[in-house]
Amino acid sequence: MSTPSSQRGIVFFAHGSRDPQWRLPIEAVAQQLLLLHPQARCCTAYLELTEPDLPTAAADLVGQGCTHITVLPMFLGTGRHARQDLPVLVAALREQHPQVQFEVATAVGEDARLTALLAEMAHQYIA
């Protein structure tokens, strides 16, 4: 049985930075999702140097009634953070919220749609 969309949430998970402007593109993705789908439950979270962290963001979605949360790594590739740090964080979330199903999506940069979009964007410089 699938989870109704009203009980599903997504966390846009990124690295983080000391520069407060660094987070703006990540937050823009969440804002765009809400613009297109106002009923969506989403938030941003960061590995380090930026708030909120993943446990805080997940707790917020759980508090909104989400029973299935997808963590979408906003990385161009699956590096050490996605391979090592993120699984540890998600395992802790599963222990903290056993009633919630947590899923980790593929890093956005490994999605063929994004690869094609980036190539098309780059093409303008050589066309």
Side-chain angles (χ1 to χ4, degrees):
M1 175 182 271
S2 67
T3 305
S5 61
S6 62
Q7 295 176 315
R8 296 178 70 90
I10 187 164
V11 178
F12 297 101
F13 181 70
H15 185 274
S17 171
R18 287 182 182 86
D19 184 342
Q21 291 189 15
W22 178 91
R23 70 187 295 151
L24 296 178
I26 307 301
E27 292 175 357
V29 175
Q31 291 168 2
Q32 183 67 27
L33 175 63
L34 291 171
L35 182 66
L36 296 171
H37 306 281
Q39 75 287 357
R41 304 210 178 173
C42 67
C43 59
T44 58
Y46 306 92
L47 179 63
E48 58 188 14
L49 306 171
T50 308
E51 295 293 328
D53 61 11
L54 186 57
T56 302
D60 180 50
L61 290 175
V62 171
Q64 294 180 47
C66 292
T67 57
H68 184 280
I69 296 173
T70 299
V71 178
L72 179 59
M74 301 295 284
F75 302 132
L76 288 179
T78 304
R80 183 179 56 83
H81 292 310
R83 282 193 324 272
Q84 296 175 8
D85 300 331
L86 185 53
V88 171
L89 291 169
V90 172
L93 291 175
R94 289 180 176 131
E95 285 185 28
Q96 187 176 6
H97 305 283
Q99 75 283 15
V100 178
Q101 180 182 355
F102 288 93
E103 173 184 4
V104 178
T106 302
V108 294
E110 295 186 6
D111 186 307
R113 294 169 294 179
L114 183 59
T115 303
L117 177 60
L118 293 172
E120 186 60 34
M121 291 169 60
H123 183 256
Q124 71 180 332
Y125 298 104
I126 59 173

